[in-house]
Amino acid sequence: MSDRGVASGRGEDLSVANRQNGSGKGVTASFPILTRTDFSKSTFLIEIEHPVMAKAAKPGQFVIVMLHDLGERIPLTIADFDREKGTITLVVQAVGKSTREMQLLCRPGREIYAMLGPLGIPSDISSKTKKVICVGGGLGIAPIYPQARAFKEAGAHVIGVLGFRSSNLMFWEEKFRAICDDFIICTDDGSAGIHGLVTQGIEAAIRENPDVDEVVAIGPPVMMRACTETTRPYGIKTMVSLNPIMVDGTGMCGGCRVKVGDAIKFACVDGPDFDGHQVDFDDLFTRLQRYRPEEAAAMKRYSDSCRRLALAPDAAPIEGGK
Amino acid sequence: MARKTIRSIPQQRADMPVQEPEIRARNFDEVALGFDLENALLECERCLMCPQPACIEGCPVKIDIPGFISKMLEKDFRGAYEHMTDATQLPAVCGRVCPQEDQCEGVCAVGAGTGLEPVAIGRLERFLGDMAIKEGWQKSAQIEPNRFRVAIVGSGPAGMACAADLAKAGCAVTIYEAFHVPGGVLRYGIPEFRLPKSVVDAEIANLKALGVDIQCNTLVGRLFTIDQMLDDMGYDAVFIGVGAGTPHFMDIPGENLNGVLSANELLTRCNLMHAGDFPKFDTPLGLGKRVAVIGSGNTAMDAMRVSLRLGAEQVHCIYRRSEIECPARKEELHHAQEEGIEFHWLTNPVEILGDANNNVRGIRCVQMELGEPDNSGRRRPVAVEGSEFDFEADTVVYAIGTSPNPILGQTSSIGLNKWGYIDTDDDLSTSLAGVYAGGDIVTGAATVIKAMGAGRKAADSIRRYLGLRDTNVIYEPETSDFENSLFGIDLAEHCFTRIRQI
């Protein structure tokens, strides 16, 4: 039996044990997946039932997820929440072992072993912000949505700037159009909207709207840095959502420390949102490289075991292992 | 029985086997193997049964030490265990990790100025605790439920002790824990070779057997606030035992390099996430071959000994004071030295040096000398001018203490003191009515037993706050039946009665 089979089996047993110990009144005993949508070959959305968290979550916060009891704790931004349905939504990009495994295992009817949240300080949605540009790129497109919505609800004029690699990878366009006053799409290959990066979209938006008070950018660190450099000459306040390596997510290990201005901050309790013009991005890039060799090794090992499973269909425990 | 004297008792401590240093430095099995029955009884003989025992006063939870030892001498081990656990919730844990030399054993008459070693109280406590786990003993208390619901924030030693006392008092107790498994520092902090996780599991099972509900994956302050617990969620009282937990860094150049981490991170990755078993477990550790740990408290000792066991070729301790001021337990320091950890006393880092890839390659240190005593009475270390030197290392671990976690302060109106710890009065009551706090989040980093003691004290205060009767009194069943009364206590009073099972 593969490790993965063992892992998912044990995960389920423990969830059952949690439910029993929770004696029915448990607020956080289990984390069932209700729906799943695939946006592309590597990006997918899962909606997880957690009424208490759906009630508590605010834009800008994140969760720490552990897929099974052999798994690692990974931070994921809360892409959306539905207080009435009692669900929170995560958008995952399969980039390494754990997220690839999530792509395989996270299906409706299954459960996640552990999910802690909402974590971090909610984004500052100030009613003083009259005009805001909300920028999302790559992984950041989903989590910028609740922020844009919150700005809209607070009465701001919201300009959405979204960057995709190509038009066939686009998602949530209607959702954004419904809450944005202006909406700019940028694609790397020019298959939709502006041919180029989100920074060009930001430039365009600022030209049109010189009275913008704030830019909020979420996406890969390289993109967020580019956004801060774009707005710096204009002196427009620019908030970014940092994504350093995390373990506990509660402020007790300092694995996620980042340099902001002259101070050391823990992104999990002091952030994850910071003033982009103060953030030391070089420091963040360096520290994100910390476990590259281990990540590559884990990924290779996982890919190899997947290939073995594909060769021996009888041994595949994934779909039938309910 | 003739009165025992210093001369008549066995002069030497009974033998407790320990794994050989060369072997144990490469495995995670427990270092100290514990007394066997014969040696436990031999050690019991060494107790003088003082009429006014200092050891009880030395114990933060006031275990009746001669009481349980005399029951052991009668070979009534079950009775000894029951007697001991009237005062302590976690004997198998505390027997292992308490700094007994500063507590019960430090004041034992046998060791006081006689040249003999004190009675090995911790080892005897551990012996009974282990025996209870092995035999599956549970306290035979019958719990009469009352109508009160109490929430405990944090499942470490303080929370566990408080939960157990309140469950015995009949309250419906729920513990909220942020991690995916309960136990707090016993789980993520203290390594397997000092405290096997099977012992922690057993203690948590005992807690569940008392009816305590443990909810993991819940970060109080973020998922819901303390105020919501009292209002919407309807808890009658709340105990906060979340520990200190936020690690200090020194704010010297190079701290952002890869290979610099806190001892908390190292220990959490290793103990909680099993990074030592990567890639079977998914969490990586990335430990180098030459590890330098800054600080020399118990956390530093744990971090160093874990590093050694995870395959570091050399482990160094860097401490700015001298060995005399070393805050770790003597036994831990001794074990670490035996295992081959090198200590560099009177040495202080001033900069962490990196290579072209931003990985750690060394530490720039200065020599220190001890100057005048400071406010704490310890001599203040002062840098020797011109004594800078570079020290080679590829991993740097900070174990220089912790400060309070900011989350509860950020999310509630609870009163904090100027250092950010929760402010309490002598009853451990906070500025919010019905909310009590204890352990490291009140006192700063201390010991497991002190946290337990605080948990029990808070449980006492909560019982008083809720108007519950003293649950430490065991009421004998009455022979005759009174209408509307239970053991002579009016049922109209929302009181608790614990009945000795006959």
Side-chain angles (χ1 to χ4, degrees), chain B residues 130-379:
Chain B
D130 285 353
M131 189 179 232
I133 291 171
K134 202 162 135 248
E135 305 287 334
W137 292 340
Q138 304 250 327
K139 289 281 279 183
S140 57
Q142 185 180 322
I143 295 168
E144 198 72 12
N146 61 37
R147 62 186 175 84
F148 293 111
R149 295 171 63 225
V150 181
I152 312 272
V153 187
S155 66
M160 282 165 85
C162 188
D165 274 10
L166 290 169
K168 286 179 191 167
C171 300
V173 180
T174 305
I175 300 183
Y176 291 105
E177 163 63 40
F179 271 133
H180 52 280
V181 278
V185 73
L186 308 178
R187 186 76 67 177
Y188 75 78
I190 303 173
E192 185 83 21
F193 57 83
R194 281 217 291 138
L195 177 64
K197 296 303 160 248
S198 56
V199 172
V200 184
D201 290 338
E203 301 289 15
I204 285 165
N206 282 340
L207 210 56
K208 287 186 177 164
L210 286 173
V212 174
D213 177 31
I214 303 180
Q215 296 284 325
C216 290
N217 301 301
T218 313
L219 185 61
V220 174
R222 297 268 193 243
L223 191 60
F224 42 78
T225 62
I226 300 281
D227 296 344
Q228 283 173 314
M229 294 169 92
L230 294 169
D231 301 339
D232 314 350
M233 296 168 77
Y235 284 108
D236 299 292
V238 174
F239 172 73
I240 300 171
V242 294
T246 294
H248 280 312
F249 290 87
M250 286 174 81
D251 206 8
I252 57 175
E255 241 159 39
N256 55 327
L257 292 167
N258 282 330
V260 181
L261 70 168
S262 71
N264 268 7
E265 180 176 354
L266 174 77
L267 293 170
T268 304
R269 283 178 183 270
C270 170
N271 298 335
L272 179 76
M273 305 308 293
H274 307 279
D277 287 329
F278 180 84
K280 186 188 169 212
F281 286 81
D282 289 337
T283 304
L285 183 60
L287 193 76
K289 293 291 170 209
R290 203 177 142 97
V291 178
V293 176
I294 301 169
S296 85
N298 288 316
T299 309
M301 298 298 150
D302 285 345
M304 290 188 282
R305 297 173 71 197
V306 159
S307 301
L308 206 61
R309 285 159 174 79
L310 290 174
E313 281 157 17
Q314 287 185 45
V315 180
H316 300 268
C317 174
I318 297 194
Y319 184 53
R320 63 199 181 114
R321 298 178 197 254
S322 70
E323 182 167 351
I324 303 159
E325 289 89 12
C326 168
R329 288 190 66 188
K330 280 207 185 64
E331 189 185 1
E332 299 302 318
L333 175 61
H334 182 62
H335 278 159
Q337 284 167 329
E338 277 184 343
E339 288 169 13
I341 285 157
E342 279 184 53
F343 286 82
H344 305 268
W345 307 112
L346 292 166
T347 308
N348 203 31
V350 289
E351 182 181 352
I352 299 170
L353 310 168
D355 62 16
N357 298 321
N358 290 311
N359 293 319
V360 172
R361 67 173 169 86
I363 316 175
R364 184 155 296 159
C365 298
V366 282
Q367 289 296 337
M368 308 294 277
E369 58 188 10
L370 292 178
E372 293 301 306
D374 62 13
N375 297 339
S376 70
R378 295 191 298 183
R379 293 175 65 191

